[in-house]
Amino acid sequence: ASWRRILQFKGTGADNGLYAHDRRLQFYGPNGSITSPTTDFTAGTAASLILTRNGASNVFAAYVNGVQRLSFVDSYGAGTVKY
């Protein structure tokens, strides 16, 4: 198993963030992890990653190559960025 951090969000713990884990997208946060059910990445192949978070509903969603792979209610604000 191999983890590659893609993004670390604001004020999160040392391991919290968005990862590629065994070629699947994974969000690791205060409530544990959520992992894409299918392989999202192929070595040597570029991929498009889009992240959204609805401020009213707190729903965080991640899309790989235009297909939604993760979605959850982010009640802790772990999927927000500091600017």
Side-chain angles (χ1 to χ4, degrees), residues 6 19-26 35-41:
I6 297 171
Y19 291 84
H21 176 248
D22 290 335
R23 300 184 301 141
R24 298 187 305 163
L25 191 63
Q26 181 182 70
T35 304
S36 172
T38 61
T39 300
D40 300 302
F41 306 108

Side-chain angles (χ1 to χ4, degrees), residues 6 10 15 18 20-21 31-33 37 42-43 45 48 57-58 60-62 67 72-73 76 78:
I6 297 171
K10 75 167 190 159
D15 291 333
L18 193 64
H21 176 248
N31 281 344
S33 66
T42 302
T45 303
S48 170
S57 66
N58 296 328
F60 176 95
V67 178
F72 62 94
V73 176
Y76 289 99

Side-chain angles (χ1 to χ4, degrees), residues 1-82:
S2 92
W3 282 269
R4 300 260 183 189
R5 186 189 304 251
I6 297 171
L7 183 63
Q8 183 174 9
F9 295 95
K10 75 167 190 159
T12 60
D15 291 333
N16 292 350
L18 193 64
Y19 291 84
H21 176 248
D22 290 335
R23 300 184 301 141
R24 298 187 305 163
L25 191 63
Q26 181 182 70
F27 183 91
Y28 184 80
N31 281 344
S33 66
I34 254 183
T35 304
S36 172
T38 61
T39 300
D40 300 302
F41 306 108
T42 302
T45 303
S48 170
L49 175 64
I50 297 173
L51 306 176
T52 64
R53 186 173 185 282
N54 182 309
S57 66
N58 296 328
V59 172
F60 176 95
Y63 301 80
V64 178
N65 296 327
V67 178
Q68 184 176 316
R69 296 301 193 191
L70 302 177
S71 179
F72 62 94
V73 176
D74 180 22
S75 56
Y76 289 99
T80 59
V81 293
K82 185 176 183 178

